[in-house]
Amino acid sequence: MEGLKQLQHLSLVGKGCQELENHLGMGDKTLAEFIISMGKQHSSVKGFAQELAEAGAEMPESFVGTLLTIIQKMSGSGTGGGTGAAKQVRW
């Protein structure tokens, strides 16, 4: 089961890098992991965007929404000790 979680994380980081490259012109793995870590703590685009801005990573809200949706769908939040259901993005 741990191998599956690692594979999901690697896939998510790869997708994050791809999105960063497409929208910002830089697909840095460390930045993607940092954004993913922050995104996993939020269920709303506003809160996620605010925390990114506070960290110096101000981005368009539409892009932040895209990132949050990807993080939530690919993070496997339905596995493990969570609520058993993926969180929905609240606009």
Side-chain angles (χ1 to χ4, degrees):
M1 193 63 144
E2 188 63 33
L4 180 59
K5 285 184 181 183
Q6 287 179 329
L7 184 59
Q8 285 176 327
H9 179 73
L10 290 174
S11 179
L12 178 56
V13 171
K15 182 65 174 172
C17 287
Q18 180 182 9
E19 290 296 321
L20 290 172
E21 181 67 39
N22 290 343
H23 292 275
L24 304 178
M26 59 176 173
D28 184 69
K29 179 184 173 201
T30 304
L31 179 60
E33 288 179 329
F34 177 69
I35 290 171
I36 290 164
S37 173
M38 290 173 67
K40 286 182 176 183
Q41 300 172 16
H42 293 278
S43 61
S44 74
V45 174
K46 275 194 185 271
F48 185 34
Q50 182 178 353
E51 188 169 345
L52 285 170
E54 289 171 3
E58 198 166 321
M59 299 179 210
E61 197 166 302
S62 60
F63 180 51
V64 174
T66 299
L67 289 173
L68 186 58
T69 300
I70 291 168
I71 292 166
Q72 290 175 343
K73 288 188 178 189
M74 293 184 72
S75 67
S77 60
T79 60
T83 61
K87 296 179 183 176
Q88 290 186 341
V89 176
R90 286 184 255 139
W91 295 92

Coordinates of all heavy atoms in Angstrom, one line a residue:
M1 N 0.8 -1.2 0.0 CA 0.0 0.0 0.0 C 0.9 1.3 0.0 O 0.5 2.2 -0.6 CB -0.9 0.0 1.2 CG -2.0 1.0 1.1 SD -3.1 0.7 -0.3 CE -4.6 1.2 0.4
E2 N 2.0 1.2 0.7 CA 2.9 2.4 0.7 C 3.4 2.7 -0.7 O 3.6 3.9 -1.0 CB 4.1 2.1 1.7 CG 4.9 3.3 2.0 CD 4.2 4.5 2.6 OE1 3.3 4.2 3.4 OE2 4.6 5.6 2.3
G3 N 3.7 1.7 -1.4 CA 4.2 1.9 -2.8 C 3.2 2.6 -3.7 O 3.5 3.5 -4.5
L4 N 1.9 2.3 -3.4 CA 0.8 3.0 -4.2 C 0.8 4.5 -3.8 O 0.6 5.4 -4.7 CB -0.5 2.4 -3.9 CG -1.7 3.0 -4.6 CD1 -1.6 2.9 -6.1 CD2 -3.0 2.2 -4.2
K5 N 0.9 4.8 -2.5 CA 0.9 6.2 -2.1 C 2.1 6.9 -2.7 O 2.0 8.1 -3.1 CB 1.0 6.2 -0.5 CG -0.3 5.9 0.1 CD -0.3 6.1 1.6 CE -1.6 5.7 2.3 NZ -1.6 5.9 3.7
Q6 N 3.3 6.3 -2.7 CA 4.4 6.9 -3.3 C 4.2 7.2 -4.8 O 4.6 8.3 -5.3 CB 5.7 6.1 -3.1 CG 6.2 6.1 -1.7 CD 7.4 5.2 -1.6 OE1 7.6 4.2 -2.3 NE2 8.3 5.6 -0.6
L7 N 3.6 6.3 -5.5 CA 3.3 6.4 -6.9 C 2.3 7.6 -7.1 O 2.5 8.4 -8.0 CB 2.8 5.1 -7.5 CG 2.5 5.1 -9.0 CD1 3.8 5.5 -9.8 CD2 2.0 3.8 -9.4
Q8 N 1.3 7.6 -6.3 CA 0.3 8.7 -6.4 C 1.0 10.1 -6.1 O 0.7 11.1 -6.8 CB -0.8 8.6 -5.3 CG -1.8 7.5 -5.7 CD -2.8 7.3 -4.6 OE1 -2.6 7.5 -3.4 NE2 -4.0 6.9 -5.0
H9 N 1.9 10.1 -5.1 CA 2.6 11.4 -4.9 C 3.5 11.8 -6.0 O 3.5 13.0 -6.4 CB 3.4 11.3 -3.6 CG 4.2 12.5 -3.2 ND1 3.6 13.6 -2.7 CD2 5.5 12.8 -3.4 CE1 4.5 14.6 -2.6 NE2 5.7 14.1 -2.9
L10 N 4.2 10.9 -6.6 CA 5.1 11.2 -7.7 C 4.3 11.6 -8.9 O 4.7 12.6 -9.6 CB 5.9 9.9 -8.1 CG 7.0 9.6 -7.1 CD1 7.7 8.3 -7.6 CD2 8.1 10.7 -7.0
S11 N 3.1 11.0 -9.2 CA 2.3 11.4 -10.2 C 1.7 12.8 -10.0 O 1.7 13.6 -10.9 CB 1.1 10.4 -10.4 OG 0.2 10.8 -11.4
L12 N 1.3 13.1 -8.8 CA 0.9 14.5 -8.4 C 2.0 15.5 -8.6 O 1.7 16.6 -9.2 CB 0.3 14.5 -7.0 CG -0.2 15.8 -6.4 CD1 -1.2 16.4 -7.3 CD2 -0.7 15.6 -5.0
V13 N 3.2 15.2 -8.2 CA 4.3 16.1 -8.3 C 4.6 16.4 -9.8 O 4.8 17.5 -10.2 CB 5.5 15.6 -7.6 CG1 6.7 16.5 -7.9 CG2 5.3 15.7 -6.1
G14 N 4.5 15.3 -10.6 CA 4.7 15.5 -12.0 C 3.7 16.3 -12.7 O 4.0 17.2 -13.5
K15 N 2.5 16.1 -12.3 CA 1.4 17.0 -12.8 C 1.5 18.4 -12.4 O 1.3 19.3 -13.2 CB 0.0 16.4 -12.4 CG -1.2 17.1 -12.9 CD -1.3 17.0 -14.4 CE -2.6 17.7 -14.9 NZ -2.7 17.8 -16.3
G16 N 1.9 18.6 -11.1 CA 2.1 19.9 -10.6 C 3.2 20.6 -11.4 O 3.1 21.8 -11.8
C17 N 4.3 19.9 -11.7 CA 5.4 20.5 -12.4 C 5.0 20.9 -13.8 O 5.3 21.9 -14.4 CB 6.6 19.5 -12.5 SG 7.5 19.3 -11.0
Q18 N 4.2 20.0 -14.4 CA 3.6 20.3 -15.8 C 2.8 21.5 -15.8 O 2.9 22.4 -16.7 CB 2.8 19.1 -16.3 CG 2.3 19.2 -17.6 CD 1.4 18.0 -18.0 OE1 1.2 17.1 -17.2 NE2 1.0 17.9 -19.3
E19 N 1.9 21.7 -14.8 CA 1.0 22.8 -14.7 C 1.8 24.1 -14.5 O 1.5 25.2 -15.1 CB 0.0 22.7 -13.6 CG -1.1 21.6 -14.0 CD -2.0 22.0 -15.2 OE1 -2.3 23.2 -15.3 OE2 -2.3 21.1 -15.9
L20 N 2.8 24.0 -13.6 CA 3.7 25.2 -13.4 C 4.4 25.6 -14.6 O 4.6 26.8 -15.0 CB 4.7 24.9 -12.2 CG 4.0 24.8 -10.8 CD1 5.1 24.3 -9.8 CD2 3.5 26.1 -10.4
E21 N 4.9 24.6 -15.4 CA 5.6 24.9 -16.6 C 4.7 25.5 -17.6 O 5.0 26.5 -18.3 CB 6.2 23.6 -17.2 CG 7.0 23.8 -18.5 CD 8.3 24.6 -18.3 OE1 9.0 24.4 -17.3 OE2 8.6 25.4 -19.2
N22 N 3.5 25.0 -17.8 CA 2.5 25.5 -18.7 C 2.1 27.0 -18.4 O 1.9 27.8 -19.3 CB 1.3 24.6 -18.8 CG 1.6 23.3 -19.4 OD1 2.6 23.1 -20.1 ND2 0.7 22.3 -19.2
H23 N 1.9 27.3 -17.1 CA 1.3 28.6 -16.8 C 2.4 29.6 -16.4 O 2.1 30.8 -16.5 CB 0.3 28.4 -15.6 CG -0.9 27.6 -16.1 ND1 -2.0 28.3 -16.6 CD2 -1.2 26.3 -16.0 CE1 -2.9 27.4 -16.9 NE2 -2.5 26.2 -16.6
L24 N 3.5 29.1 -15.8 CA 4.4 30.1 -15.3 C 5.8 30.0 -16.0 O 6.7 30.8 -15.7 CB 4.6 29.9 -13.8 CG 3.4 30.0 -12.9 CD1 3.7 29.7 -11.4 CD2 2.7 31.3 -13.0
G25 N 6.0 29.0 -16.8 CA 7.2 28.8 -17.5 C 8.4 28.2 -16.7 O 9.5 28.3 -17.1
M26 N 8.0 27.6 -15.5 CA 9.0 26.9 -14.7 C 8.4 25.7 -14.0 O 7.4 25.9 -13.3 CB 9.7 27.9 -13.7 CG 8.7 28.5 -12.7 SD 9.6 29.4 -11.5 CE 8.3 30.2 -10.7
G27 N 8.9 24.6 -14.3 CA 8.4 23.4 -13.7 C 9.2 22.8 -12.6 O 9.7 21.6 -12.7
D28 N 9.5 23.6 -11.6 CA 10.4 23.2 -10.6 C 9.8 22.2 -9.6 O 8.7 22.4 -9.1 CB 10.8 24.4 -9.8 CG 11.8 24.1 -8.7 OD1 13.0 23.8 -9.1 OD2 11.5 24.2 -7.5
K29 N 10.4 21.0 -9.4 CA 9.9 20.0 -8.5 C 9.7 20.4 -7.1 O 8.7 20.1 -6.5 CB 10.8 18.7 -8.6 CG 10.3 17.6 -7.7 CD 11.3 16.4 -7.8 CE 10.9 15.4 -6.8 NZ 12.0 14.5 -6.4
T30 N 10.7 21.1 -6.6 CA 10.6 21.6 -5.2 C 9.4 22.6 -5.0 O 8.7 22.5 -4.0 CB 11.9 22.3 -4.8 OG1 13.0 21.4 -5.0 CG2 11.9 22.7 -3.3
L31 N 9.3 23.5 -5.9 CA 8.1 24.4 -5.9 C 6.8 23.6 -6.0 O 5.9 23.9 -5.2 CB 8.2 25.4 -7.0 CG 7.1 26.5 -7.1 CD1 7.0 27.3 -5.8 CD2 7.3 27.4 -8.3
A32 N 6.7 22.7 -6.8 CA 5.5 21.9 -7.0 C 5.2 21.1 -5.7 O 4.1 21.1 -5.2 CB 5.7 20.8 -8.1
E33 N 6.2 20.6 -5.0 CA 6.0 19.9 -3.8 C 5.5 20.8 -2.7 O 4.7 20.5 -1.8 CB 7.2 19.1 -3.3 CG 7.5 17.9 -4.2 CD 8.8 17.1 -3.8 OE1 9.7 17.8 -3.4 OE2 8.8 15.9 -4.0
F34 N 6.1 22.0 -2.7 CA 5.7 23.0 -1.7 C 4.3 23.5 -1.9 O 3.5 23.5 -0.9 CB 6.7 24.3 -1.8 CG 6.3 25.4 -0.9 CD1 6.5 25.3 0.4 CD2 5.8 26.6 -1.5 CE1 6.2 26.4 1.3 CE2 5.5 27.7 -0.6 CZ 5.7 27.6 0.7
I35 N 3.9 23.7 -3.1 CA 2.5 24.1 -3.4 C 1.5 23.0 -3.1 O 0.5 23.2 -2.5 CB 2.4 24.5 -4.9 CG1 3.1 25.9 -5.1 CG2 0.9 24.6 -5.3 CD1 3.3 26.3 -6.5
I36 N 1.9 21.7 -3.4 CA 1.1 20.6 -3.1 C 0.9 20.5 -1.6 O -0.2 20.2 -1.1 CB 1.7 19.3 -3.7 CG1 1.5 19.3 -5.2 CG2 1.0 18.0 -3.1 CD1 2.4 18.3 -5.9
S37 N 2.0 20.6 -0.8 CA 1.9 20.6 0.6 C 0.9 21.6 1.2 O 0.1 21.3 2.1 CB 3.3 20.8 1.2 OG 3.2 20.9 2.6
M38 N 1.0 22.8 0.6 CA 0.1 23.9 1.1 C -1.4 23.6 0.6 O -2.3 23.8 1.4 CB 0.5 25.2 0.5 CG 1.8 25.7 1.1 SD 2.4 27.2 0.3 CE 1.2 28.4 0.7
G39 N -1.5 23.1 -0.6 CA -2.9 22.8 -1.1 C -3.6 21.7 -0.4 O -4.8 21.8 -0.2
K40 N -2.9 20.8 0.2 CA -3.5 19.7 0.9 C -4.1 20.2 2.2 O -5.0 19.5 2.8 CB -2.5 18.6 1.2 CG -2.2 17.7 0.0 CD -1.2 16.6 0.4 CE -1.0 15.7 -0.8 NZ -0.1 14.6 -0.5
Q41 N -3.8 21.4 2.7 CA -4.3 22.0 3.9 C -5.5 22.8 3.7 O -6.1 23.4 4.6 CB -3.2 22.8 4.6 CG -2.0 22.0 4.9 CD -0.9 22.8 5.4 OE1 -1.0 24.0 5.8 NE2 0.3 22.3 5.5
H42 N -5.9 23.0 2.4 CA -7.0 23.9 2.1 C -8.2 23.2 1.3 O -7.9 22.3 0.5 CB -6.5 25.1 1.3 CG -5.6 26.0 2.1 ND1 -6.1 26.9 2.9 CD2 -4.3 26.0 2.2 CE1 -5.0 27.5 3.5 NE2 -3.9 27.0 3.1
S43 N -9.4 23.7 1.6 CA -10.5 23.2 0.8 C -11.1 24.3 0.0 O -12.0 24.1 -0.8 CB -11.6 22.6 1.7 OG -12.0 23.5 2.6
S44 N -10.7 25.5 0.2 CA -11.2 26.7 -0.6 C -10.1 27.3 -1.4 O -8.9 27.4 -0.9 CB -11.9 27.7 0.3 OG -10.9 28.5 1.0
V45 N -10.5 27.8 -2.6 CA -9.5 28.5 -3.4 C -9.0 29.8 -2.8 O -7.8 30.1 -2.8 CB -10.2 28.8 -4.8 CG1 -9.2 29.6 -5.7 CG2 -10.5 27.5 -5.5
K46 N -9.9 30.5 -2.1 CA -9.5 31.8 -1.5 C -8.5 31.6 -0.4 O -7.5 32.3 -0.4 CB -10.8 32.5 -0.9 CG -11.5 33.3 -1.9 CD -12.5 34.2 -1.1 CE -13.4 34.9 -2.0 NZ -12.9 36.2 -2.4
G47 N -8.7 30.6 0.4 CA -7.7 30.3 1.5 C -6.3 29.9 0.9 O -5.3 30.3 1.4
F48 N -6.4 29.1 -0.1 CA -5.2 28.6 -0.7 C -4.5 29.7 -1.4 O -3.2 29.9 -1.3 CB -5.5 27.4 -1.7 CG -4.4 26.8 -2.4 CD1 -3.2 26.5 -1.7 CD2 -4.5 26.3 -3.7 CE1 -2.1 25.9 -2.3 CE2 -3.5 25.6 -4.3 CZ -2.3 25.4 -3.6
A49 N -5.2 30.5 -2.2 CA -4.6 31.7 -2.9 C -4.0 32.7 -1.9 O -2.9 33.2 -2.1 CB -5.7 32.4 -3.7
Q50 N -4.7 32.9 -0.7 CA -4.2 33.8 0.3 C -2.8 33.3 0.9 O -1.9 34.0 1.0 CB -5.2 34.0 1.4 CG -4.7 35.0 2.4 CD -5.8 35.2 3.5 OE1 -6.9 34.7 3.4 NE2 -5.4 35.9 4.5
E51 N -2.8 32.0 1.2 CA -1.6 31.4 1.7 C -0.4 31.5 0.7 O 0.7 31.7 1.1 CB -1.8 30.0 2.2 CG -0.6 29.5 3.0 CD -0.8 28.2 3.7 OE1 -2.0 27.8 3.9 OE2 0.2 27.6 4.1
L52 N -0.7 31.2 -0.5 CA 0.3 31.3 -1.6 C 0.8 32.7 -1.7 O 2.0 32.9 -1.8 CB -0.3 30.8 -2.9 CG -0.5 29.3 -3.1 CD1 -1.2 29.0 -4.4 CD2 0.9 28.6 -3.1
A53 N -0.1 33.7 -1.7 CA 0.3 35.1 -1.7 C 1.2 35.5 -0.6 O 2.2 36.2 -0.7 CB -0.9 36.0 -1.8
E54 N 0.8 35.0 0.6 CA 1.6 35.3 1.8 C 3.0 34.7 1.7 O 4.0 35.2 2.3 CB 0.9 34.8 3.1 CG -0.3 35.6 3.4 CD -1.2 35.0 4.6 OE1 -0.8 33.9 5.1 OE2 -2.2 35.5 4.9
A55 N 3.1 33.6 1.0 CA 4.4 32.9 0.8 C 5.2 33.5 -0.3 O 6.3 33.1 -0.7 CB 4.2 31.4 0.6
G56 N 4.6 34.6 -1.0 CA 5.3 35.2 -2.1 C 5.0 34.6 -3.4 O 5.7 34.9 -4.4
A57 N 4.0 33.7 -3.5 CA 3.7 33.0 -4.8 C 2.3 33.5 -5.2 O 1.4 32.7 -5.3 CB 3.7 31.5 -4.6
E58 N 2.2 34.8 -5.5 CA 0.9 35.3 -5.9 C 0.6 34.8 -7.4 O 1.4 35.0 -8.3 CB 0.9 36.8 -5.9 CG -0.5 37.4 -5.9 CD -0.4 38.9 -5.5 OE1 0.3 39.2 -4.6 OE2 -1.2 39.6 -6.2
M59 N -0.6 34.2 -7.6 CA -1.0 33.6 -8.8 C -2.4 34.0 -9.1 O -3.2 34.2 -8.2 CB -0.8 32.1 -8.8 CG 0.6 31.6 -8.6 SD 0.6 29.8 -8.6 CE 1.9 29.5 -7.4
P60 N -2.8 34.0 -10.4 CA -4.2 34.2 -10.7 C -5.1 33.2 -10.0 O -4.8 32.0 -9.9 CB -4.3 34.0 -12.2 CG -2.9 34.2 -12.7 CD -2.0 33.7 -11.6
E61 N -6.3 33.6 -9.5 CA -7.2 32.7 -8.8 C -7.6 31.6 -9.6 O -7.8 30.5 -9.1 CB -8.3 33.5 -8.2 CG -9.1 32.8 -7.1 CD -10.0 33.7 -6.4 OE1 -9.6 34.7 -5.8 OE2 -11.2 33.3 -6.3
S62 N -7.8 31.8 -10.9 CA -8.2 30.6 -11.8 C -7.2 29.5 -11.8 O -7.5 28.4 -11.8 CB -8.5 31.1 -13.2 OG -7.4 31.7 -13.8
F63 N -5.9 29.9 -11.8 CA -4.8 29.0 -11.8 C -4.7 28.3 -10.4 O -4.5 27.1 -10.4 CB -3.5 29.6 -12.2 CG -2.3 28.7 -12.2 CD1 -2.4 27.5 -12.9 CD2 -1.1 29.0 -11.5 CE1 -1.3 26.6 -12.9 CE2 -0.1 28.1 -11.5 CZ -0.1 26.9 -12.2
V64 N -4.9 29.0 -9.4 CA -4.9 28.5 -8.0 C -6.0 27.4 -7.9 O -5.8 26.4 -7.3 CB -5.0 29.6 -6.9 CG1 -5.2 28.9 -5.6 CG2 -3.8 30.5 -7.0
G65 N -7.2 27.8 -8.5 CA -8.3 26.8 -8.5 C -8.0 25.5 -9.2 O -8.3 24.4 -8.8
T66 N -7.3 25.7 -10.3 CA -6.9 24.5 -11.1 C -6.0 23.6 -10.3 O -6.1 22.4 -10.2 CB -6.3 24.9 -12.4 OG1 -7.2 25.7 -13.2 CG2 -5.8 23.7 -13.2
L67 N -5.0 24.3 -9.7 CA -4.0 23.5 -8.9 C -4.7 22.8 -7.7 O -4.4 21.6 -7.5 CB -2.9 24.5 -8.3 CG -1.9 25.0 -9.3 CD1 -1.0 26.1 -8.6 CD2 -1.1 23.9 -9.9
L68 N -5.6 23.5 -7.0 CA -6.3 22.9 -5.9 C -7.1 21.7 -6.3 O -7.1 20.7 -5.7 CB -7.1 23.9 -5.2 CG -7.8 23.5 -3.9 CD1 -6.7 23.0 -2.8 CD2 -8.6 24.6 -3.3
T69 N -7.8 21.8 -7.4 CA -8.6 20.7 -7.9 C -7.7 19.5 -8.2 O -8.0 18.4 -7.9 CB -9.4 21.2 -9.2 OG1 -10.2 22.2 -8.9 CG2 -10.2 20.0 -9.8
I70 N -6.6 19.8 -8.9 CA -5.7 18.7 -9.2 C -5.1 18.0 -8.0 O -5.1 16.8 -7.8 CB -4.5 19.2 -10.1 CG1 -5.0 19.6 -11.5 CG2 -3.4 18.2 -10.2 CD1 -4.0 20.4 -12.3
I71 N -4.7 18.8 -7.0 CA -4.2 18.3 -5.7 C -5.2 17.5 -5.0 O -4.9 16.4 -4.6 CB -3.7 19.5 -4.8 CG1 -2.5 20.2 -5.4 CG2 -3.5 19.0 -3.4 CD1 -2.2 21.5 -4.8
Q72 N -6.5 17.9 -5.0 CA -7.5 17.2 -4.3 C -7.9 15.9 -5.0 O -8.1 14.9 -4.3 CB -8.7 18.1 -4.1 CG -8.5 19.2 -3.1 CD -9.7 20.1 -3.0 OE1 -10.5 20.2 -3.9 NE2 -9.7 20.9 -1.9
K73 N -7.9 15.9 -6.3 CA -8.3 14.7 -7.0 C -7.2 13.7 -7.1 O -7.5 12.5 -7.1 CB -8.7 15.1 -8.5 CG -10.1 15.8 -8.5 CD -10.6 16.0 -9.9 CE -11.9 16.7 -9.8 NZ -12.6 16.7 -11.1
M74 N -6.0 14.1 -7.1 CA -4.9 13.2 -7.2 C -4.2 12.8 -5.9 O -3.3 11.9 -5.9 CB -3.8 13.8 -8.2 CG -4.3 13.9 -9.6 SD -3.0 14.5 -10.7 CE -2.0 13.1 -10.8
S75 N -4.5 13.5 -4.8 CA -3.8 13.2 -3.6 C -4.3 11.9 -2.9 O -3.7 11.5 -1.9 CB -4.0 14.4 -2.6 OG -5.3 14.5 -2.2
G76 N -5.4 11.3 -3.4 CA -5.8 10.0 -2.8 C -6.4 10.3 -1.4 O -6.2 9.5 -0.5
S77 N -7.1 11.4 -1.2 CA -7.6 11.7 0.1 C -8.6 10.7 0.6 O -8.9 10.7 1.8 CB -8.2 13.1 0.1 OG -9.3 13.2 -0.9
G78 N -9.1 9.9 -0.3 CA -10.1 8.9 0.2 C -9.5 7.7 0.8 O -10.1 6.8 1.4
T79 N -8.1 7.6 0.8 CA -7.4 6.5 1.4 C -6.8 6.9 2.7 O -6.5 8.0 3.0 CB -6.3 6.0 0.5 OG1 -5.4 7.0 0.3 CG2 -6.8 5.5 -0.8
G80 N -6.7 6.0 3.6 CA -6.1 6.3 4.9 C -7.1 6.7 5.9 O -8.2 6.4 5.9
G81 N -6.6 7.5 6.9 CA -7.4 7.8 8.1 C -8.3 9.0 7.9 O -8.7 9.6 8.9
G82 N -8.5 9.5 6.7 CA -9.3 10.7 6.5 C -10.8 10.5 6.6 O -11.2 9.5 7.2
T83 N -11.6 11.3 6.1 CA -13.0 11.2 6.2 C -13.6 10.2 5.2 O -14.8 9.9 5.3 CB -13.7 12.6 5.8 OG1 -13.3 13.0 4.5 CG2 -13.2 13.7 6.8
G84 N -12.8 9.7 4.3 CA -13.3 8.7 3.4 C -13.9 9.3 2.1 O -14.3 8.6 1.2
A85 N -13.9 10.6 2.0 CA -14.4 11.3 0.9 C -13.5 12.5 0.5 O -13.0 13.1 1.4 CB -15.9 11.8 1.1
A86 N -13.4 12.7 -0.8 CA -12.6 13.8 -1.2 C -13.3 15.2 -0.9 O -14.5 15.3 -1.0 CB -12.3 13.8 -2.7
K87 N -12.5 16.1 -0.5 CA -13.1 17.4 -0.2 C -13.5 18.1 -1.5 O -12.8 18.0 -2.5 CB -12.1 18.3 0.5 CG -11.7 17.8 1.9 CD -10.7 18.7 2.5 CE -10.2 18.2 3.8 NZ -9.2 19.1 4.4
Q88 N -14.5 18.9 -1.5 CA -15.0 19.6 -2.7 C -14.4 21.0 -2.6 O -14.2 21.6 -1.6 CB -16.5 19.7 -2.7 CG -17.2 18.4 -3.0 CD -18.7 18.6 -3.2 OE1 -19.2 19.6 -2.8 NE2 -19.3 17.7 -3.9
V89 N -14.1 21.5 -3.8 CA -13.5 22.9 -3.9 C -14.7 23.9 -3.7 O -15.7 23.7 -4.4 CB -12.9 23.1 -5.3 CG1 -12.4 24.6 -5.4 CG2 -11.7 22.2 -5.4
R90 N -14.6 24.8 -2.8 CA -15.6 25.8 -2.6 C -15.1 27.1 -3.2 O -14.0 27.6 -2.9 CB -15.8 26.0 -1.1 CG -16.6 24.9 -0.5 CD -16.9 25.1 0.9 NE -16.0 24.3 1.7 CZ -15.4 24.6 2.8 NH1 -15.6 25.8 3.3 NH2 -14.6 23.7 3.4
W91 N -15.9 27.7 -4.0 CA -15.5 29.0 -4.7 C -16.0 30.1 -3.8 O -16.4 30.8 -3.4 CB -16.1 29.1 -6.1 CG -15.5 28.0 -7.0 CD1 -15.9 26.8 -7.2 CD2 -14.2 28.1 -7.7 NE1 -15.1 26.1 -8.0 CE2 -14.0 26.9 -8.3 CE3 -13.3 29.1 -7.8 CZ2 -13.0 26.7 -9.1 CZ3 -12.2 28.9 -8.6 CH2 -12.1 27.6 -9.3

